[in-house]
Amino acid sequence: MSSGSIRVGIGGWTYEPWRGGAFYPEGLPQKRELEYAGQHLTAIEINATYYGRQKAESFANWAAAVPEGFRFSLKASRFCTNRKVLADGAESIEKFLTQGFTRLDDRLGPILWQFMATKHFDREDFARFLDLLPDAQDGTALRHALEVRHESFRDPAFIDLARSRNMAVVFADHDQFPQIDERTADFSYARLQRATADCPTGYDEKALDRWADKAREWSKGGDAYVFFISGAKERNPAAGQALIARLN
């Protein structure tokens, strides 16, 4: 594995508390919020794809709004992952994959497959599910990140499955979810979810220094994606910018 780029971002770009000077300047038209976010961050996790299909033209427009080098990750449809038998999700997976997100072109980052906190690890079912995730779509290479949120996934068999398919296991900075820090792919994916409202940058100086060091460590094995998600969501853009400043 070779060293890679570090991209830092947030979840989505339309959030009322970010307006009026908190992140977006006072008076900035909402139609220009993505453009602004693209100038101050280096990645965004698209959440809308979790709830429903998007138009191919929307993906093309989003790609055009951000600069070269920026990446969007996509949260896979809940209809693919929120089911009793994962291997039965082929139709939902196909529907998700064919909505036109390859129109993001070189702005396309990893696809995030997030599983419910109640979902237990079943090796056979999970292996069959992973077999449904292709390496490419419409001629575009795909990267897959797996966010598991039940302690049963602390299993060498799960790590082996992910590694055998070059899929990243998401590192979750969260009180209730397992923190699995295993290199299973030629990229890494972290979701930092402990931002606090009483800190202007969500995480304090020492914590941000630690995450900068950790991001550099992850990037030694390939591209690293670090997203500030949930927690005190109003602080996440400031947290992302503070981390980018340290990495630069």
Side-chain angles (χ1 to χ4, degrees), residues 32-206:
R32 293 191 59 198
E33 288 177 348
L34 176 56
E35 176 189 351
Y36 183 89
Q39 294 169 351
H40 293 83
L41 300 163
T42 51
I44 280 178
E45 186 180 280
I46 297 177
N47 298 316
T49 46
Y50 179 73
Y51 298 102
R53 285 171 62 93
Q54 307 299 307
K55 296 179 180 179
E57 293 77 12
S58 295
F59 292 109
N61 291 336
W62 296 339
V66 297
E68 183 177 354
F70 190 94
R71 295 291 183 273
F72 292 99
S73 71
L74 301 182
K75 197 170 182 181
S77 168
R78 56 184 169 166
F79 299 108
C80 302
T81 56
N82 294 0
R83 55 177 59 243
K84 184 176 181 180
V85 180
L86 293 172
D88 289 346
E91 184 177 343
S92 294
I93 292 172
E94 179 70 13
K95 187 175 182 180
F96 168 75
L97 292 172
T98 56
Q99 63 187 298
F101 61 72
T102 52
R103 294 286 297 277
L104 289 171
D105 199 28
D106 61 0
R107 269 65 165 175
L108 175 63
I111 298 173
L112 172 68
W113 303 86
Q114 183 187 79
F115 301 89
M116 294 184 294
T118 55
K119 188 63 180 177
H120 292 234
F121 176 54
D122 177 325
R123 188 194 183 286
E124 181 179 355
D125 184 37
F126 212 81
R128 290 172 61 203
F129 173 82
L130 297 185
D131 287 341
L132 298 173
L133 309 185
D135 295 330
Q137 179 68 31
D138 304 330
T140 298
L142 301 182
R143 285 173 160 180
H144 302 289
L146 311 172
E147 185 181 16
V148 296
R149 300 189 289 173
H150 190 273
E151 287 293 332
S152 61
F153 284 89
R154 290 188 186 276
D155 187 323
F158 167 60
I159 302 302
D160 289 344
L161 280 176
R163 186 171 287 129
S164 68
R165 291 160 171 78
N166 191 40
M167 297 181 182
V169 176
V170 172
F171 178 89
D173 180 41
H174 193 284
D175 289 331
Q176 299 174 3
F177 306 146
Q179 288 190 358
I180 301 176
D181 191 9
E182 294 278 355
R183 192 183 304 282
T184 59
D186 58 4
F187 74 102
S188 56
Y189 198 111
R191 302 180 88 236
L192 310 185
Q193 303 170 72
R194 298 181 196 260
T196 59
D198 60 356
C199 180
T201 53
Y203 286 74
D204 64 26
E205 298 285 325
K206 290 183 178 180

